[in-house]
């Protein structure tokens, strides 16, 4: 994680504020039931800048602009999130950063509706703006500015012209939407494509890559044209889920529905069943083929093999996407939140490009089949054993989906030890099967025998390695994130982790209001962990980062901690609503540090690779709270 070094200005500089704010409404008079827009203008001295409402690079010590409008939101009905005028690019060569900032003038907008029961009056309100001002040499400490606002409410019935939600942005902004207002079409496409490529490296996706390669290399014909047809079918499956289904769901029912779909027990149960079918097919119990009526639709293709696996490729694309849902919601969630505000074109384009980038390695596989030519594509007994390997991996993934089903319903059947035991049995069974063929069948020559020896050894080592994870012992790897968390009251044990005695001092709230009450009582900031039962990245953070002794000490001693599940549990709906309305995201994991006065100090989405980086994030939030 990039760490920005904040230099504090002198007292005289702090007294001469480089930024001032004023707030106005867009209409001279209003009536009960009408809509209006609040416009906040920031006047910034030359040479100074402030940061975006929605920074695309989140730094632990660079404070994004925050608008706290609880008073307005309580008195009136919010209709949109906060919009902002166009940003400029700012280079920080010393830190190696390129940031998006406001310079000279910035404007922020939000639309509200006056409640019908309001009597005529001149209503006074206030908005608090948190910001950090920087120039080429220093950054002043983050601070807040209170801005007064007068809203005249007159007698009379609401007028038709004042019932329309105003979504235009004035001459300061040339963009399509508040989230991507500073991004050109080319920049936006590059952003979507790069995010799709990065998504291939997440823990959810990695196990699916060899399974998909298996489909194209072992089952697809050798002809390049045929392979390209299969790639198109595979990409159609990815695009179908990410672009069409996701955006339609968000427009009709809201962006949080995508998160619900990824964690839905039925979806996980069906996904697990789909992987079981793939696994048993590769084991040789049956062969996947398409119904004759569907095959007739592909009659213009020449070869029968092409027909048999086109729909299979589509289904594998769907499975590939479903398996990665909980890890890759950052961009998707942001786009779908925008889609719910009526900006449908950018999310649609973004998700199509994201989908194509996500499947790009397999496009190369279809265009350049010679990469896998030679011995690798020749038939033989080795091919059967490679299918067994892929089937074994698919079986392990199927158990993961069934575990998600168990977690979301909180059945406590597929516990950590039970899942580990199933994994060990699967690996041992594969070891025995491969060893039998190695010792008694004497298949192939030296090449085949060497491959069988490597496979048998891998199965055995895998089963031994997994067996070390029983009784909540850490596996010190990403595998911990694929396993169910320890039972309530139990904790993962490992070198450098907090002890059981230290862990029992934890007090994670499950309700935000209860945590807020405790924070006010003890005058401590709140650490909010937005998480999910089926979120693998969340499990990785909880099992590998939160358990580290220094992180645990910082969280336990200096924060009121609250864990909010957005995909299940008693407070699921409230937690989801809070995350979307307050933070404008559905990303998991998502972390927020909030003051005892319920003011957002800092936020961060995604995982931390090192415990020291996460500790720095916590300390930065604590320092801001003390100020």
């Amino acid at each position: 994680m990039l760490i920005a070094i904040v230099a504090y200005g002198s007292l005289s500089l702090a007294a001469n504020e480089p930024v001032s704010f004023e707030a106005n409404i867009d209409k001279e008079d209003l009536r009960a039931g009408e809509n209006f827009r609040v416009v906040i203008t920031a006047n910034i001295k030359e040479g100074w800048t402030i940061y975006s409402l929605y920074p695309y690079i989140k730094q632990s010590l660079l404070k994004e602009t925050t608008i706290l409008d609880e008073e307005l939101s309580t008195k009136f009905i919010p209709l949109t999130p906060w919009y902002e005028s166009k940003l400029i690019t700012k280079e920080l060569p010393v830190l190696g950063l390129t940031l998006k900032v406001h310079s000279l003038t910035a404007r922020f907008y939000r639309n509200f509706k006056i409640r019908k029961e309001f009597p005529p009056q001149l209503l006074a309100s206030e908005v608090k703006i948190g910001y950090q001002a920087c120039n080429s040499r220093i950054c002043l400490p983050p601070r807040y500015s209170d801005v007064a606002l007068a809203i005249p409410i007159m007698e009379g019935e609401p007028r038709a012209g004042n019932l329309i939600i105003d979504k235009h942005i004035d001459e300061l902004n040339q963009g399509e939407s508040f989230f991507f207002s500073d991004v050109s079409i080319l920049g936006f496409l590059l952003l979507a494509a790069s995010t799709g490529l990065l998504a291939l490296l997440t823990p959810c996706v990695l196990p699916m890559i060899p399974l998909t390669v298996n489909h194209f290399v072992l089952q697809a014909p050798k002809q390049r044209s045929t392979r390209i047809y299969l790639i198109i079918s595979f990409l159609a499956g990815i695009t179908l889920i990410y672009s069409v289904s996701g955006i339609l769901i968000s427009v009709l029912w809201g962006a949080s529905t995508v998160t619900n779909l990824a964690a839905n027990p039925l979806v996980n149960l069906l996904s697990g069943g789909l992987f079981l079918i793939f696994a048993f097919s590769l084991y040789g119990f049956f062969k996947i083929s398409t119904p004759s009526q569907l095959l007739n639709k592909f009659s213009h293709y020449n070869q029968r093999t092409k027909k048999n696996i086109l729909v299979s490729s589509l289904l594998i694309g769907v499975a590939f996407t479903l398996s990665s849902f909980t890890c890759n919601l950052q961009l998707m969630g942001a786009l779908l939140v925008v889609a719910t505000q009526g900006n449908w074109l950018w999310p649609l384009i973004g998700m199509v490009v994201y989908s194509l980038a996500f499947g790009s390695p397999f496009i190369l596989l279809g265009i350049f089949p010679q990469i896998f030519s030679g011995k690798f594509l020749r038939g033989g007994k080795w091919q059967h054993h490679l299918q067994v390997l892929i089937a074994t991996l698919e079986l392990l993934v199927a158990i993961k989906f069934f575990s998600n089903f168990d977690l979301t319903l909180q059945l406590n059947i597929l516990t950590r030890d039970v899942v580990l035991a199933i994994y060990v049995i699967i690996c041992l069974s594969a070891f025995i099967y491969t060893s039998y063929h190695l010792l008694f069948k004497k298949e192939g020559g030296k090449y085949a025998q060497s491959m069988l020896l490597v496979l048998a050894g891998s199965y055995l080592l895998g089963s031994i390695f997994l067996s070390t994870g029983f009784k909540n012992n850490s596996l010190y790897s990403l595998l911990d994130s694929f396993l169910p968390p320890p039972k309530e009251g139990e904790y993962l044990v490992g070198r450098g982790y907090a002890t059981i005695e230290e862990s029992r001092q934890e007090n994670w709230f499950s309700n935000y209001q209860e945590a807020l009450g405790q924070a006010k009582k003890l005058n401590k900031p709140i650490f909010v962990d937005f998480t999910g039962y089926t979120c693998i990245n969340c499990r990785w953070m909880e099992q590998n980062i939160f358990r580290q002794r220094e992180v645990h000490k910082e969280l336990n001693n200096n924060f009121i901690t609250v864990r909010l599940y957005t995909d299940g549990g008693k407070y699921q709906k409230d937690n989801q609503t809070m995350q979307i309305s307050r933070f404008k995201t559905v990303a998991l994991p998502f972390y927020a540090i909030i003051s005892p006065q319920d003011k957002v100090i800092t936020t961060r989405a995604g995982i931390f690779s090192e415990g020291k980086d996460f500790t720095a994030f916590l300390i930065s939030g604590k320092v801001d709270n003390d100020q």
Side-chain angles (χ1 to χ4, degrees), residues 510-512 530 563-580:
S510 59
N511 180 280
Y512 179 74
F530 286 99
R563 181 164 288 149
L564 305 179
Y565 286 91
T566 63
D567 63 355
K570 182 179 179 181
Y571 302 108
Q572 172 195 358
K573 187 175 181 180
D574 291 340
N575 297 341
Q576 260 187 359
T577 301
M578 175 184 176
Q579 186 184 13
I580 293 175

Side-chain angles (χ1 to χ4, degrees), residues 228-248:
I228 291 176
Y229 288 134
L230 300 182
I231 295 298
I232 292 173
S233 181
F234 172 76
L235 291 177
I238 294 178
T239 305
L240 175 68
I241 296 297
Y242 273 127
S243 301
V244 180
S245 301
I247 291 179
L248 285 178

Side-chain angles (χ1 to χ4, degrees), residues 496 498 506 508 527 541 544-559 561 610-616 618:
E506 293 179 359
W508 285 89
F527 172 76
M541 287 293 296
N544 294 275
I545 300 298
F546 288 14
R547 297 294 302 135
Q548 295 181 21
R549 181 170 283 112
E550 290 303 315
V551 174
H552 179 272
K553 180 180 178 181
E554 186 66 35
L555 279 172
N556 194 53
N557 293 344
N558 299 315
F559 292 88
T561 54
E610 298 288 343
K612 61 182 180 180
D613 294 334
F614 187 71
T615 303
L618 295 175

Side-chain angles (χ1 to χ4, degrees), residues 512 526-530 560 562 564 578 590-594:
Y512 179 74
I526 306 169
F527 172 76
V528 184
D529 173 18
F530 286 99
I560 302 301
V562 56
L564 305 179
M578 175 184 176
F590 183 81
Y591 306 113
I593 297 177
I594 301 177

Side-chain angles (χ1 to χ4, degrees), residues 230-409:
L230 300 182
I231 295 298
I232 292 173
S233 181
F234 172 76
L235 291 177
I238 294 178
T239 305
L240 175 68
I241 296 297
Y242 273 127
S243 301
V244 180
S245 301
I247 291 179
L248 285 178
I249 288 172
S250 72
V251 170
L252 295 176
W253 296 291
S256 62
T257 305
V258 179
T259 308
N260 294 337
L261 181 63
N264 186 281
L266 181 59
V267 170
N268 280 280
L269 185 63
L270 292 176
S271 299
L274 185 62
F275 276 94
L276 275 183
I277 293 172
F278 288 151
F280 287 131
S281 173
L282 288 177
Y283 280 136
F285 289 100
F286 54 85
K287 184 176 181 181
I288 296 178
S289 60
T290 57
S292 58
Q293 290 182 345
L294 290 177
L295 292 179
N296 291 334
K297 296 182 180 180
F298 301 104
S299 58
H300 58 285
Y301 298 116
N302 294 327
Q303 291 141 2
R304 177 176 172 77
T305 53
K306 217 184 289 184
K307 301 174 185 177
N308 283 332
I309 56 180
L310 278 170
V311 174
S312 177
S313 296
L314 178 69
L315 292 176
I316 286 180
V318 171
F320 191 96
T321 307
L322 289 176
S323 69
S324 64
F325 241 43
T326 55
C327 284
N328 303 328
L329 284 173
Q330 277 82 349
L331 176 62
M332 189 177 181
L335 291 176
L336 296 180
V337 169
V338 176
T340 61
Q341 307 304 319
N343 301 303
W344 58 270
L345 183 59
W346 282 71
L348 179 60
I349 295 173
M351 291 317 303
V352 169
V353 173
Y354 175 92
S355 303
L356 292 175
F358 193 51
S360 60
F362 308 102
I363 298 176
L364 296 177
L365 179 62
I367 296 174
F368 303 106
Q370 64 270 22
I371 295 175
F372 297 92
S373 61
K375 289 184 178 180
F376 192 71
L377 283 179
R378 292 175 188 168
K381 290 291 185 180
W382 73 268
Q383 209 170 42
H384 168 72
H385 289 287
L386 186 56
Q387 286 184 334
V388 170
L389 170 63
I390 302 299
T392 301
L393 292 174
E394 289 185 341
L395 203 55
L396 297 177
V397 174
I399 299 302
K400 170 58 184 171
F401 278 112
F402 292 141
S403 171
N404 289 345
F405 172 80
D406 179 90
L407 279 171
T408 51
L409 295 181

Side-chain angles (χ1 to χ4, degrees), residues 38 44 378 520 552 591 604:
V38 173
I44 308 167
R378 292 175 188 168
K520 291 178 178 178
H552 179 272
Y591 306 113
R604 168 68 183 259

